[in-house]
Amino acid sequence: MDITKFFVSRRNDALLLGDYGSYRKQLSRQLLTLRRRLGRSTPKGRKYASKEPITAEDVARQPEFIHLLLLTCERAWAHALYMKSMHSADSSAKDITGSTRKHIISRLHRAEQTASHLVEILKSNEEIPSHSRTVWEARAYFCMLYGGLQFESRRWEGCLEAYSEAHVLYTVLGKSSVANLTDVFFELLSTTVDPSIRYAAYQLRLPRTLSITKIVVRFLKADSEFVREALAEDQSVLGEGNPSTKRGADGELKALPKTISWRERTVNLEDANIAQALAAVSDAEQKLISTYTSNIDMTQKERAAAYDEVLIPSQDAVDATKTAIDELTADGVAQDDQRMQALQLTRTAVNYALVGWRIGRHRVLCGRDDGAQLESEPVKKQRNATGNPREELSVKESNGKKVSRLRERVALYDTILQSLDSVKVLPGVAADQALLDELNAQRSYFASLRCLSIAHSHSLLNNPKNALALFARASSLLPNPSSGHLSANPTSTIKLVNQQVTPSQASRLHVLLEGFVARYRALVEIQNLTTEATKAEKSKLTGSIPMIERLDEYPRNGADLSNLVIYPPRLRPVPVKPIFLDVAWTYIDYPGRNPEENIGPNGVVSSAEESVQEKKEGRKGWFGFGR
């Protein structure tokens, strides 16, 4: 009987849509139905009477009595967790004290007592061997509930002893189970047992560098018959107490890395969490290589999605390193301390590796040769013929969709450039000139690819001049393959790519860009000649302008000596004597002008000055208007 699968499946199904309160109500309904079926319910209208305890004979006669005990344990556990969650939701409350805490402990004690009774029944059952999987699952379930009781009672040593036994039993069960049950056992270990062990060890002020395995070895009760039976079946379950081991995805124990190297420097890994995260990264990398090797016909998106298996543990390694640095900083450790220096070097190494995997994923998404070639993707459309089923047709991709793909590719290049810039701010990078030269060469390579993609989009939009300028710019940005700044021997394998750029890749791109520049230089020259020829044809049709009026233009096709001037000249208006000279004539006394006498209508002689003054007073506005 799969005891673990029985309660885990019910927990997941109930908590998926509800909380611990709804789970408790659901268990109460199931208990009532099961009691009626087993004949152990109180008839309606009668006074309640205590039930007789379930015995081994009952279980031998009807195995559903095991379900009755499990549902009783789960209901008491769900009641305790519901009260605890309600108190946690209240932000004003500080800690659980008084009657609420006693009630929670009482419910957990009821669940633990029922689970203990289940273990005794299964042990005394002659049909079930004492070393069977069912008994082990019941014992592990009891240890988990008992550890939770000790956890709420704040008895940390008892908590570690119970959870250590549960850790050993679930590990052995997970390694010897079928595939669908292995995930169930390891999920319990990762979500409930191991975090509780880590917190209880923290309360006992144990060093954070101790691994889970080392803590389990320290607090495991060797006199327990279940522990002896489990260790007799699998001696490697504890890794001989060595904290430098880790359980892989297949349940096998693997050695954890003890050191980490970065740019010819090696430091020890004192934090167990960082070592476990780096071991997970190594396992994920090997899994990715095997995936690429076994699936050769993977699509571009599938190959990029496979990188997520490495990115997730790499990010966990970065987070573990940051947490360790923050803890040392909170403890007042100086930056020049050896432990802090080792962690800073580890931080640079894991961040550089994470950036490399991210860039590798983006390079896979860009396509073949890092997206240097403009390839068309066939578009499949369906047509409906009369009387025939729908047929798929491969239609050529339109220029608009190509430009859209190029826009996405440019966004990927921008992300790659930002990732390379983030590496430069890591500790120790600024002082490494060789690494800076390599990063700058890699940045120039991807910046050249970015200009190349934009040039392709301009070529699709029929802008050869802009495309030529961008191709020339990409060629100038490309690093020299023989400069020595590129990695001649990349650290990644042939199947996997990261931020490393080889001289051969730069050489291929250089040859490609030279071809594009020569081609579009010719296209631009042809376009210019075509434009000039068109202008010359238009000028011949509309009548050419004589050479004397086009002295500021250079005759590319030679001077037209038959059209130097227009002869005989035509009558054309020529601007002379600006009008403001005539207007100023009556207001300005020019040198050499003598005033003349004027004879009035009555024969009175008046000087020219008086007449001018009268006229001057009589005029209003320009040109004499406005009278």
Side-chain angles (χ1 to χ4, degrees), residues 203-218:
Q203 292 293 337
L204 290 177
R205 302 184 181 277
L206 296 179
R208 297 188 183 97
T209 56
L210 289 177
S211 64
I212 297 294
T213 307
K214 190 68 175 179
I215 298 174
V216 169
V217 171
R218 182 172 177 177

Side-chain angles (χ1 to χ4, degrees), residues 580-602:
F580 65 84
L581 296 177
D582 294 339
V583 174
W585 180 262
T586 58
Y587 294 95
I588 300 174
D589 292 334
Y590 294 97
R593 180 184 177 188
N594 297 324
E596 300 178 357
E597 294 182 353
N598 299 326
I599 300 176
N602 298 328

Side-chain angles (χ1 to χ4, degrees), residues 432-454:
D432 194 340
Q433 188 60 40
L435 179 60
L436 284 178
D437 294 339
E438 183 179 351
L439 290 174
N440 292 330
Q442 294 171 2
R443 194 184 193 285
S444 300
Y445 174 79
F446 291 109
S448 177
L449 287 172
R450 181 178 181 274
C451 289
L452 177 59
S453 296
I454 301 175

Side-chain angles (χ1 to χ4, degrees), residues 149-427:
L149 173 63
Q150 299 296 315
F151 188 95
E152 295 298 330
S153 302
R154 300 173 185 175
R155 293 191 285 268
W156 306 116
E157 291 187 2
C159 174
L160 284 176
E161 292 175 357
Y163 276 123
S164 297
E165 185 175 349
H167 178 92
V168 172
L169 292 175
Y170 278 133
T171 302
V172 175
L173 289 171
K175 293 177 63 176
S176 60
S177 300
V178 293
N180 57 345
L181 290 179
T182 300
D183 297 337
V184 175
F185 292 122
F186 287 157
E187 181 183 0
L188 280 175
L189 286 172
S190 60
T191 59
T192 304
V193 178
D194 290 352
S196 301
I197 292 175
R198 180 65 67 185
Y199 185 79
Y202 168 75
Q203 292 293 337
L204 290 177
R205 302 184 181 277
L206 296 179
R208 297 188 183 97
T209 56
L210 289 177
S211 64
I212 297 294
T213 307
K214 190 68 175 179
I215 298 174
V216 169
V217 171
R218 182 172 177 177
F219 289 90
L220 189 62
K221 287 185 176 181
D223 56 349
S224 174
E225 58 176 328
F226 296 97
V227 174
R228 291 197 302 269
E229 292 173 359
L231 294 179
E233 180 172 337
D234 190 355
Q235 292 288 346
S236 63
V237 65
L238 297 179
E240 298 180 357
N242 188 2
S244 60
T245 56
K246 177 185 180 297
R247 186 187 307 105
D250 54 355
E252 296 293 333
L253 289 174
K254 299 181 180 180
L256 296 180
K258 298 180 180 179
T259 60
I260 185 172
S261 300
W262 166 253
R263 306 291 294 181
E264 301 179 356
R265 288 192 59 188
T266 303
V267 295
N268 295 326
L269 293 174
E270 298 180 356
D271 195 301
N273 293 331
I274 300 176
Q276 291 178 359
L278 291 176
V281 172
S282 179
D283 294 340
E285 183 178 352
Q286 297 299 325
K287 183 179 179 181
L288 180 60
I289 294 174
S290 63
T291 301
Y292 271 28
T293 306
S294 59
N295 301 324
I296 303 177
D297 299 332
M298 293 175 64
T299 62
Q300 180 177 315
K301 292 184 178 179
E302 290 176 350
R303 291 169 63 89
Y307 272 79
D308 294 338
E309 300 295 333
V310 185
L311 288 172
I312 294 174
S314 298
Q315 184 63 51
D316 294 340
V318 172
D319 296 339
T321 307
K322 184 179 181 302
T323 302
I325 293 176
D326 294 341
E327 290 176 354
L328 288 183
T329 304
D331 294 340
V333 178
Q335 291 294 328
D336 57 352
D337 188 86
Q338 184 178 1
R339 294 173 296 170
M340 184 65 75
Q341 291 293 316
L343 285 177
Q344 292 291 356
L345 188 141
T346 306
R347 175 192 172 191
T348 303
V350 296
N351 277 277
Y352 185 77
L354 176 62
V355 169
W357 291 118
R358 286 177 179 171
I359 294 177
R361 182 179 183 274
H362 295 334
R363 293 177 71 177
V364 171
L365 286 174
C366 288
R368 187 168 60 91
D369 292 336
D370 296 329
Q373 299 285 350
L374 181 59
E375 300 175 349
S376 299
E377 294 183 358
V379 181
K380 293 183 178 181
K381 292 187 178 180
Q382 293 182 349
R383 68 176 183 180
N384 222 349
T386 306
N388 295 328
R390 290 191 173 185
E391 300 178 357
E392 290 188 356
L393 296 177
S394 296
V395 184
K396 186 179 180 180
E397 188 179 17
S398 62
N399 289 342
K401 291 185 177 179
K402 289 182 181 179
V403 172
S404 178
R405 287 197 297 110
L406 288 171
R407 188 181 297 112
E408 295 175 357
R409 192 175 296 174
V410 170
L412 291 175
Y413 291 137
D414 289 335
T415 306
I416 291 175
L417 295 177
Q418 292 176 3
S419 300
L420 290 175
D421 292 337
S422 65
V423 175
K424 297 180 180 180
V425 301
L426 293 176

Side-chain angles (χ1 to χ4, degrees), residues 127-143:
E127 298 180 359
I128 302 177
S130 60
H131 60 278
S132 65
R133 291 175 48 84
T134 303
V135 180
W136 284 5
E137 288 186 34
R139 178 65 181 182
Y141 180 59
F142 159 75
C143 292

Side-chain angles (χ1 to χ4, degrees), residues 533-546:
T534 304
K535 289 182 179 180
E537 291 293 334
K538 289 182 179 180
S539 64
K540 289 182 180 179
L541 293 175
T542 57
S544 59
I545 304 173

